[in-house]
Coordinates of all heavy atoms in Angstrom, one line a residue:
M1 N 58.2 78.2 45.2 CA 58.7 78.1 46.5 C 59.9 79.0 46.7 O 60.8 79.0 45.9 CB 59.1 76.7 46.9 CG 59.6 76.5 48.3 SD 60.0 74.8 48.5 CE 59.4 74.4 50.0
V2 N 59.9 79.9 47.7 CA 61.0 80.8 47.9 C 62.0 80.2 48.8 O 61.7 79.7 49.9 CB 60.4 82.1 48.6 CG1 61.5 83.1 48.9 CG2 59.3 82.7 47.8
S3 N 63.2 80.2 48.4 CA 64.3 79.6 49.2 C 64.8 80.6 50.2 O 65.0 81.8 49.9 CB 65.5 79.1 48.3 OG 66.1 80.3 47.7
Q4 N 64.9 80.2 51.4 CA 65.4 81.1 52.5 C 66.9 80.9 52.6 O 67.4 79.8 52.8 CB 64.7 80.8 53.8 CG 63.3 81.1 53.7 CD 62.6 80.8 55.1 OE1 63.3 80.4 56.0 NE2 61.3 81.2 55.2
Q5 N 67.6 82.0 52.5 CA 69.1 81.9 52.7 C 69.4 82.0 54.2 O 68.7 82.7 55.0 CB 69.7 83.0 52.0 CG 69.6 82.9 50.5 CD 70.3 84.1 49.8 OE1 70.8 84.9 50.4 NE2 70.2 84.1 48.4
P6 N 70.4 81.3 54.6 CA 70.7 81.4 56.1 C 71.2 82.7 56.5 O 71.9 83.4 55.7 CB 71.8 80.3 56.2 CG 72.3 80.1 54.9 CD 71.3 80.4 53.9
R7 N 70.7 83.2 57.6 CA 71.1 84.5 58.1 C 72.6 84.5 58.6 O 73.0 83.5 59.2 CB 70.2 85.0 59.2 CG 68.8 85.2 58.8 CD 68.0 85.7 60.0 NE 66.7 86.0 59.6 CZ 65.8 86.4 60.5 NH1 66.0 86.5 61.8 NH2 64.5 86.7 60.1
K8 N 73.2 85.6 58.3 CA 74.6 85.7 58.8 C 74.5 86.2 60.3 O 73.8 87.2 60.5 CB 75.4 86.7 58.0 CG 75.7 86.1 56.6 CD 76.6 87.1 55.9 CE 76.9 86.6 54.5 NZ 77.7 87.6 53.7
Q9 N 75.2 85.6 61.1 CA 75.1 86.0 62.5 C 76.1 87.1 62.7 O 77.3 87.0 62.3 CB 75.4 84.9 63.5 CG 74.3 83.9 63.5 CD 74.5 82.8 64.6 OE1 75.5 83.0 65.4 NE2 73.6 81.9 64.7
Q10 N 75.6 88.2 63.4 CA 76.5 89.3 63.6 C 77.1 89.1 65.0 O 76.4 88.7 65.9 CB 75.8 90.6 63.6 CG 75.2 90.9 62.2 CD 74.4 92.2 62.2 OE1 74.2 92.8 63.2 NE2 73.9 92.6 61.1
P11 N 78.4 89.4 65.2 CA 79.0 89.2 66.5 C 78.4 90.3 67.5 O 78.2 91.4 67.1 CB 80.5 89.5 66.2 CG 80.5 90.3 65.0 CD 79.3 89.9 64.2
R12 N 78.1 89.8 68.7 CA 77.6 90.6 69.7 C 78.7 91.1 70.6 O 79.6 90.3 70.9 CB 76.5 89.9 70.5 CG 75.3 89.6 69.7 CD 74.2 89.0 70.6 NE 72.9 88.9 70.0 CZ 71.9 88.5 70.6 NH1 71.9 88.1 71.8 NH2 70.7 88.5 69.9
Q13 N 78.5 92.2 71.1 CA 79.5 92.7 72.1 C 79.0 92.2 73.5 O 77.9 92.3 73.8 CB 79.5 94.3 72.1 CG 80.1 94.8 70.9 CD 80.2 96.3 70.9 OE1 79.6 97.0 71.8 NE2 80.9 96.9 70.0
V14 N 80.0 91.7 74.2 CA 79.7 91.2 75.5 C 79.9 92.4 76.5 O 80.9 93.1 76.5 CB 80.7 90.1 75.9 CG1 80.5 89.7 77.3 CG2 80.6 89.0 74.9
R15 N 78.9 92.6 77.3 CA 78.9 93.7 78.3 C 79.7 93.2 79.5 O 79.4 92.2 80.1 CB 77.5 94.1 78.7 CG 77.5 95.2 79.7 CD 76.1 95.5 80.1 NE 76.0 96.5 81.1 CZ 76.2 96.4 82.4 NH1 76.5 95.2 82.9 NH2 76.1 97.4 83.3
R16 N 80.8 93.9 79.8 CA 81.6 93.6 81.0 C 81.4 94.7 82.0 O 82.0 95.8 81.8 CB 83.0 93.5 80.6 CG 83.3 92.2 79.7 CD 84.7 92.0 79.4 NE 85.4 91.8 80.7 CZ 86.7 91.9 80.8 NH1 87.4 92.2 79.8 NH2 87.3 91.7 82.0
P17 N 80.7 94.5 83.0 CA 80.6 95.6 84.0 C 81.9 95.8 84.8 O 82.7 94.8 84.9 CB 79.5 95.0 85.0 CG 79.5 93.6 84.8 CD 79.9 93.3 83.4
P18 N 82.1 97.0 85.3 CA 83.3 97.2 86.1 C 83.3 96.4 87.4 O 82.3 96.1 87.9 CB 83.3 98.7 86.4 CG 81.9 99.1 86.2 CD 81.3 98.2 85.3
R19 N 84.5 96.0 87.8 CA 84.7 95.3 89.0 C 84.6 96.3 90.2 O 85.6 97.1 90.4 CB 86.0 94.5 89.1 CG 85.9 93.4 88.0 CD 87.2 92.7 88.1 NE 87.2 91.6 87.0 CZ 88.1 90.7 86.9 NH1 89.1 90.7 87.7 NH2 88.0 89.9 85.9
F20 N 83.5 96.3 90.9 CA 83.4 97.3 91.9 C 84.4 97.2 93.0 O 84.9 98.2 93.6 CB 81.9 97.2 92.6 CG 80.9 97.8 91.6 CD1 80.3 97.0 90.7 CD2 80.5 99.1 91.7 CE1 79.3 97.5 89.8 CE2 79.6 99.6 90.8 CZ 79.0 98.8 89.9
S21 N 84.8 96.0 93.4 CA 85.7 95.8 94.5 C 87.1 96.4 94.1 O 87.7 97.0 95.0 CB 85.9 94.3 94.8 OG 86.3 93.6 93.6
A22 N 87.5 96.3 92.8 CA 88.8 97.0 92.4 C 88.7 98.5 92.5 O 89.6 99.1 93.0 CB 89.1 96.5 91.0
F23 N 87.5 99.1 92.2 CA 87.4 100.5 92.3 C 87.3 101.0 93.7 O 87.9 102.0 94.1 CB 86.1 101.0 91.6 CG 86.3 101.1 90.1 CD1 86.0 100.1 89.2 CD2 86.7 102.3 89.5 CE1 86.1 100.2 87.9 CE2 86.8 102.4 88.2 CZ 86.6 101.4 87.3
L24 N 86.7 100.2 94.6 CA 86.6 100.6 96.0 C 88.0 100.4 96.6 O 88.4 101.3 97.4 CB 85.6 99.6 96.7 CG 84.1 99.8 96.4 CD1 83.3 98.8 97.0 CD2 83.7 101.2 96.7
L25 N 88.7 99.4 96.4 CA 90.0 99.2 96.9 C 91.0 100.3 96.5 O 91.8 100.8 97.3 CB 90.6 97.8 96.6 CG 91.9 97.4 97.2 CD1 91.8 97.4 98.8 CD2 92.3 96.1 96.7
T26 N 91.0 100.6 95.2 CA 91.9 101.6 94.6 C 91.6 102.9 95.2 O 92.5 103.7 95.6 CB 91.7 101.6 93.1 OG1 92.0 100.3 92.6 CG2 92.7 102.7 92.5
G27 N 90.3 103.3 95.4 CA 89.9 104.5 96.0 C 90.4 104.6 97.4 O 90.8 105.7 97.9
A28 N 90.2 103.5 98.1 CA 90.6 103.5 99.6 C 92.1 103.7 99.7 O 92.6 104.4 100.6 CB 90.1 102.2 100.2
L29 N 92.9 103.0 98.8 CA 94.3 103.1 98.9 C 94.8 104.5 98.5 O 95.7 105.1 99.1 CB 95.0 102.1 98.0 CG 94.9 100.6 98.5 CD1 95.5 99.7 97.5 CD2 95.6 100.5 99.9
A30 N 94.1 105.1 97.5 CA 94.5 106.5 97.2 C 94.1 107.5 98.3 O 94.9 108.3 98.6 CB 93.7 106.9 95.9
G31 N 93.0 107.3 99.0 CA 92.6 108.1 100.1 C 93.6 107.9 101.2 O 93.9 108.9 101.9
L32 N 94.0 106.7 101.5 CA 95.0 106.4 102.5 C 96.3 107.1 102.3 O 96.9 107.7 103.2 CB 95.2 104.9 102.7 CG 96.0 104.5 103.9 CD1 95.3 104.8 105.2 CD2 96.2 103.0 103.8
L33 N 96.7 107.1 101.0 CA 97.9 107.8 100.6 C 97.8 109.3 100.8 O 98.7 110.0 101.3 CB 98.3 107.5 99.2 CG 99.5 108.2 98.6 CD1 100.8 107.6 99.3 CD2 99.6 107.9 97.1
I34 N 96.7 109.9 100.4 CA 96.4 111.3 100.7 C 96.4 111.7 102.1 O 97.0 112.7 102.5 CB 95.1 111.7 100.0 CG1 95.2 111.7 98.5 CG2 94.7 113.1 100.4 CD1 93.9 111.9 97.7
G35 N 95.8 110.8 103.0 CA 95.9 111.1 104.4 C 97.3 111.0 105.0 O 97.7 111.8 105.8
F36 N 98.1 110.1 104.4 CA 99.5 110.0 104.9 C 100.3 111.3 104.5 O 101.0 111.8 105.3 CB 100.2 108.8 104.3 CG 101.6 108.7 104.6 CD1 102.1 108.3 105.8 CD2 102.6 108.9 103.6 CE1 103.4 108.2 106.1 CE2 103.9 108.9 103.8 CZ 104.4 108.5 105.1
L37 N 100.0 111.7 103.2 CA 100.7 112.9 102.8 C 100.3 114.1 103.6 O 101.1 115.0 103.8 CB 100.5 113.1 101.3 CG 101.2 112.1 100.4 CD1 100.8 112.3 98.9 CD2 102.7 112.1 100.5
L38 N 99.0 114.2 103.9 CA 98.6 115.4 104.7 C 99.2 115.3 106.1 O 99.5 116.3 106.7 CB 97.1 115.4 104.8 CG 96.3 115.9 103.5 CD1 94.8 115.7 103.7 CD2 96.7 117.3 103.2
N39 N 99.3 114.1 106.6 CA 99.9 114.0 108.0 C 101.4 114.4 108.0 O 101.8 115.1 108.9 CB 99.8 112.5 108.4 CG 100.3 112.3 109.8 OD1 100.2 113.1 110.7 ND2 101.1 111.2 110.0
V40 N 102.1 114.0 106.9 CA 103.5 114.4 106.9 C 103.7 115.8 106.6 O 104.6 116.5 107.2 CB 104.2 113.5 105.8 CG1 105.6 114.0 105.5 CG2 104.2 112.0 106.1
S41 N 102.9 116.4 105.7 CA 103.1 117.8 105.3 C 102.4 118.8 106.2 O 102.7 120.0 106.2 CB 102.7 118.0 103.9 OG 101.3 117.8 103.8
G42 N 101.5 118.4 107.1 CA 100.7 119.3 107.9 C 101.5 119.8 109.1 O 102.5 119.2 109.5
P43 N 100.9 120.8 109.8 CA 101.6 121.3 111.0 C 101.4 120.3 112.2 O 100.4 119.5 112.2 CB 100.8 122.5 111.3 CG 99.5 122.3 110.7 CD 99.7 121.5 109.5
L44 N 102.4 120.3 113.1 CA 102.3 119.4 114.2 C 101.4 120.0 115.3 O 101.3 121.2 115.5 CB 103.7 119.2 114.8 CG 104.7 118.4 113.9 CD1 106.1 118.4 114.5 CD2 104.2 117.0 113.6
D45 N 100.7 119.1 116.0 CA 99.8 119.5 117.1 C 100.2 118.8 118.3 O 100.4 117.6 118.3 CB 98.4 119.3 116.7 CG 97.4 119.9 117.7 OD1 97.8 120.5 118.7 OD2 96.2 119.8 117.4
A46 N 100.5 119.5 119.4 CA 101.0 119.0 120.6 C 99.9 118.1 121.3 O 100.3 117.2 122.1 CB 101.4 120.1 121.6
R47 N 98.7 118.3 121.0 CA 97.6 117.5 121.7 C 97.6 116.1 121.1 O 97.1 115.2 121.9 CB 96.2 118.2 121.4 CG 96.1 119.5 122.1 CD 94.8 120.1 121.9 NE 94.8 120.5 120.4 CZ 93.7 121.1 119.8 NH1 92.6 121.3 120.5 NH2 93.8 121.4 118.6
Y48 N 97.9 115.8 119.9 CA 97.9 114.5 119.3 C 99.3 114.1 118.8 O 100.0 114.9 118.3 CB 96.9 114.5 118.1 CG 95.5 115.0 118.4 CD1 95.1 116.2 118.0 CD2 94.7 114.2 119.2 CE1 93.9 116.7 118.3 CE2 93.4 114.7 119.5 CZ 93.0 115.9 119.0 OH 91.7 116.4 119.3
D49 N 99.6 112.8 119.0 CA 100.9 112.4 118.5 C 100.7 112.0 117.0 O 99.6 111.9 116.5 CB 101.5 111.2 119.3 CG 101.0 109.8 119.0 OD1 100.2 109.7 118.1 OD2 101.4 108.9 119.7
S50 N 101.8 111.8 116.3 CA 101.8 111.6 114.9 C 101.0 110.4 114.4 O 100.3 110.4 113.4 CB 103.2 111.5 114.3 OG 103.2 111.4 113.0
S51 N 101.1 109.3 115.2 CA 100.4 108.0 114.8 C 98.9 108.2 114.9 O 98.1 107.6 114.1 CB 100.9 106.9 115.6 OG 100.7 107.0 117.0
A52 N 98.4 108.9 115.9 CA 97.0 109.1 116.1 C 96.4 110.0 114.9 O 95.4 109.7 114.4 CB 96.7 109.8 117.4
T53 N 97.2 111.0 114.6 CA 96.8 111.8 113.4 C 96.8 111.0 112.2 O 95.8 111.2 111.4 CB 97.7 113.0 113.3 OG1 97.8 113.7 114.5 CG2 97.2 114.0 112.2
L54 N 97.8 110.2 112.0 CA 97.8 109.3 110.8 C 96.6 108.4 110.7 O 96.0 108.2 109.7 CB 99.1 108.6 110.7 CG 99.3 107.6 109.6 CD1 99.2 108.3 108.2 CD2 100.5 106.8 109.7
G55 N 96.3 107.8 111.9 CA 95.1 106.9 112.0 C 93.8 107.6 111.6 O 93.0 107.1 110.8
F56 N 93.6 108.8 112.2 CA 92.4 109.5 111.9 C 92.3 109.9 110.4 O 91.3 109.7 109.8 CB 92.2 110.8 112.8 CG 92.0 110.5 114.2 CD1 92.7 111.1 115.2 CD2 91.0 109.6 114.6 CE1 92.4 110.8 116.6 CE2 90.7 109.3 115.9 CZ 91.4 109.9 116.9
L57 N 93.3 110.5 110.0 CA 93.3 111.0 108.5 C 93.3 109.9 107.6 O 92.6 109.9 106.5 CB 94.6 111.9 108.3 CG 94.6 113.3 108.9 CD1 96.0 113.9 108.6 CD2 93.5 114.1 108.4
G58 N 94.0 108.8 107.9 CA 93.9 107.6 107.0 C 92.6 107.0 106.9 O 92.1 106.6 105.9
L59 N 91.9 106.9 108.1 CA 90.6 106.3 108.1 C 89.5 107.2 107.4 O 88.7 106.7 106.6 CB 90.1 106.1 109.6 CG 88.8 105.4 109.8 CD1 88.9 104.0 109.3 CD2 88.5 105.4 111.3
I60 N 89.6 108.5 107.6 CA 88.7 109.4 107.0 C 88.8 109.4 105.5 O 87.9 109.3 104.7 CB 88.8 110.8 107.6 CG1 88.3 110.8 109.0 CG2 88.1 111.8 106.8 CD1 88.6 112.1 109.8
F61 N 90.1 109.6 105.1 CA 90.4 109.7 103.6 C 90.2 108.3 102.9 O 89.9 108.3 101.7 CB 91.7 110.3 103.3 CG 91.7 111.8 103.5 CD1 92.1 112.4 104.7 CD2 91.2 112.6 102.5 CE1 92.1 113.8 104.8 CE2 91.1 114.0 102.6 CZ 91.6 114.6 103.8
A62 N 90.5 107.3 103.6 CA 90.3 105.9 102.9 C 88.8 105.7 102.7 O 88.4 105.2 101.7 CB 90.9 104.9 103.8
G63 N 87.9 106.1 103.6 CA 86.5 106.0 103.5 C 86.0 106.9 102.3 O 85.2 106.5 101.5
L64 N 86.5 108.1 102.3 CA 86.1 109.0 101.2 C 86.6 108.5 99.9 O 85.9 108.7 98.9 CB 86.6 110.5 101.5 CG 86.0 111.2 102.6 CD1 86.7 112.5 102.9 CD2 84.5 111.5 102.3
G65 N 87.8 108.0 99.8 CA 88.4 107.5 98.6 C 87.5 106.3 98.1 O 87.3 106.1 96.9
A66 N 87.2 105.4 99.0 CA 86.3 104.3 98.6 C 85.0 104.7 98.1 O 84.5 104.2 97.1 CB 86.1 103.3 99.8
L67 N 84.4 105.8 98.7 CA 83.2 106.3 98.2 C 83.3 106.9 96.8 O 82.5 106.7 95.9 CB 82.7 107.4 99.2 CG 81.4 108.1 98.8 CD1 80.2 107.1 99.0 CD2 81.2 109.3 99.7
V68 N 84.4 107.6 96.6 CA 84.6 108.2 95.2 C 84.8 107.1 94.2 O 84.3 107.1 93.1 CB 85.8 109.2 95.3 CG1 86.2 109.6 93.9 CG2 85.4 110.4 96.1
G69 N 85.6 106.1 94.6 CA 85.9 104.9 93.7 C 84.6 104.2 93.4 O 84.3 103.8 92.2
G70 N 83.7 104.1 94.3 CA 82.4 103.4 94.1 C 81.5 104.3 93.2 O 80.8 103.7 92.3
L71 N 81.6 105.6 93.4 CA 80.8 106.4 92.5 C 81.3 106.4 91.0 O 80.5 106.4 90.1 CB 80.8 107.9 93.0 CG 80.0 108.2 94.2 CD1 80.2 109.6 94.7 CD2 78.5 107.9 94.0
V72 N 82.6 106.3 90.9 CA 83.2 106.2 89.5 C 82.8 104.9 88.9 O 82.4 104.9 87.7 CB 84.7 106.4 89.6 CG1 85.4 106.0 88.3 CG2 85.1 107.8 90.0
A73 N 82.8 103.8 89.7 CA 82.4 102.5 89.1 C 80.9 102.5 88.7 O 80.6 102.0 87.7 CB 82.6 101.4 90.1
V74 N 80.1 103.1 89.5 CA 78.6 103.2 89.1 C 78.4 104.1 87.9 O 77.6 103.7 87.0 CB 77.8 103.8 90.3 CG1 76.4 104.2 89.9 CG2 77.8 102.8 91.5
L75 N 79.2 105.2 87.8 CA 79.0 106.0 86.6 C 79.5 105.3 85.3 O 78.9 105.4 84.3 CB 79.8 107.3 86.8 CG 79.2 108.3 87.7 CD1 80.1 109.5 87.9 CD2 77.9 108.8 87.3
L76 N 80.6 104.5 85.4 CA 81.1 103.7 84.3 C 80.1 102.6 84.0 O 79.9 102.3 82.8 CB 82.5 103.2 84.6 CG 83.6 104.1 84.6 CD1 84.9 103.4 85.0 CD2 83.8 104.7 83.2
D77 N 79.5 102.0 85.0 CA 78.5 101.0 84.7 C 77.3 101.5 84.0 O 76.7 100.9 83.1 CB 78.1 100.3 86.1 CG 77.3 99.1 85.9 OD1 77.5 98.4 84.8 OD2 76.4 98.8 86.7
W78 N 76.8 102.7 84.4 CA 75.7 103.3 83.7 C 76.0 103.7 82.2 O 75.2 103.6 81.4 CB 75.3 104.6 84.4 CG 74.5 104.4 85.6 CD1 73.8 103.2 86.0 CD2 74.1 105.4 86.5 NE1 73.2 103.5 87.2 CE2 73.3 104.8 87.5 CE3 74.3 106.8 86.7 CZ2 72.7 105.5 88.6 CZ3 73.8 107.4 87.7 CH2 73.0 106.8 88.7
Q79 N 77.3 104.1 82.0 CA 77.6 104.5 80.7 C 77.8 103.3 79.7 O 77.6 103.5 78.5 CB 79.0 105.3 80.8 CG 79.2 106.2 79.6 CD 80.4 107.1 79.9 OE1 81.3 106.8 80.6 NE2 80.3 108.3 79.3
L80 N 78.1 102.2 80.2 CA 78.2 101.0 79.3 C 76.9 100.5 79.0 O 76.1 100.2 78.6 CB 79.0 99.9 80.0 CG 80.5 100.3 80.4 CD1 81.1 99.1 81.1 CD2 81.2 100.5 79.1

């Protein structure tokens, strides 16, 4: 009769996917900051006041930043 020795269990690595909400929020905040910096450093336009320009640039760049943050999260998720 052949005796069977107990198998040693090897530790498994736990897969931790990235938190998409954190990447989206970070990207949106970075985009909002870029929009603010462009508003402050850009030329003044008499047709629009400063708060309207800040709103437009902030909204556009926050959306683009969230998109980039989401793409980074997806790429990191694929790589893991």
Side-chain angles (χ1 to χ4, degrees):
M1 180 183 226
V2 177
S3 66
Q4 293 183 356
Q5 296 180 357
R7 291 183 179 175
K8 292 183 181 179
Q9 290 189 3
Q10 296 177 355
R12 291 187 171 182
Q13 290 183 351
V14 177
R15 182 184 178 278
R16 294 185 60 197
R19 295 183 183 185
F20 286 88
S21 59
F23 279 91
L24 293 173
L25 183 63
T26 303
L29 289 176
L32 189 63
L33 179 65
I34 291 171
F36 175 74
L37 292 174
L38 286 176
N39 182 40
V40 171
S41 65
L44 295 177
D45 190 354
R47 294 179 291 179
Y48 305 107
D49 83 6
S50 180
S51 63
T53 307
L54 176 62
F56 289 133
L57 288 176
L59 185 63
I60 290 170
F61 281 100
L64 289 174
L67 180 67
V68 169
L71 288 174
V72 168
V74 167
L75 289 175
L76 285 175
D77 190 33
W78 278 351
Q79 200 169 31
L80 295 177

